[in-house]
Structure formats: C-alpha cells, structure tokens
Amino acid sequence: MEYTFTSENFEEEVLKSDVPVLVDMFATWCGPCKMMAPIVAQLAEEYKGSVKVGKLDIDQNVDIVAQYKIMSVPTFLVIKDGEVVKKLIGAVSKEELVEAIGQAK
C-alpha cells in the first residue's frame, strides 16, 4: 500500500522513519507522473515492511516542495535517517528506482 505524504505527516512518516522511504513527488496534471504511478504501486507492494513507498502532491504541499527545491515532476527522493540519499528527476525505469532504494538499505 502506498503512503500519502503531506506537510502534516512528512516529518513523522518520512524523516523519522526507521526504514528507507521512497517519496514520489507528483502532480495530478502531470502526464509522466501518471505513467509512473503503476510502477510506484508495484514497488509499494514489493517493499512492504522494508521500505515506505508513497506519494506527495506538490500542489498541496508547497512547503515540502520548496524545502527540497523540487523544480519538475515527477521527482523521486530516497530518504534514509532524514537525509536524501538519492534524487531522481523525470520518468525513470523501475530498475533505476530499485537501484536507488538499494543504495539506502
């Protein structure tokens, strides 16, 4: 199951998480974001219990977008122990996301 990250829960769910987190920074109007959605959903299932996988709507959480200097979507952040381990911009392959997650484990 994918998490829904917001400004309200970001610190608790992402920054204080005891497992690595993949954050999909997306927008509802973004074509490449829609294209990536099934891959993100697959990763959420495959990593259930070992990695949190979730989405953050950039239009509803502008403070987080500003904090991480997100300029385009989709942007994927892999965060471990409150720090960004990897940042991927644009539609990327599932393999690239798996590799990025692997760097945080």
Side-chain angles (χ1 to χ4, degrees):
M1 177 206 94
E2 293 169 84
Y3 287 82
T4 299
F5 301 128
T6 64
S7 299
E8 290 75 38
N9 72 8
F10 196 81
E11 184 175 348
E12 197 61 41
E13 291 288 352
V14 178
L15 301 181
K16 292 181 177 176
S17 175
D18 51 2
V19 296
V21 183
L22 174 67
V23 182
D24 173 8
M25 301 273 190
F26 81 103
T28 54
W29 45 262
C30 162
C33 298
K34 291 176 184 164
M35 193 175 82
M36 292 301 298
I39 295 171
V40 173
Q42 282 176 2
L43 292 172
E45 283 302 310
E46 290 170 18
Y47 284 101
K48 195 186 312 187
S50 63
V51 176
K52 278 187 188 177
V53 177
K55 301 168 97 54
L56 182 131
D57 186 328
I58 62 157
D59 292 323
Q60 295 177 4
N61 301 282
V62 292
D63 54 331
I64 304 289
V65 171
Q67 181 181 344
Y68 288 95
K69 297 175 176 59
I70 305 303
M71 303 301 273
S72 58
V73 285
T75 293
F76 298 93
L77 300 178
V78 178
I79 297 176
K80 182 179 183 186
D81 300 326
E83 300 293 320
V84 175
V85 178
K86 189 80 175 164
K87 182 177 187 176
L88 300 164
I89 300 170
V92 295
S93 69
K94 181 178 178 182
E95 290 71 29
E96 286 175 274
L97 290 172
V98 167
E99 186 178 317
I101 291 167
Q103 291 176 12
K105 289 188 113 185

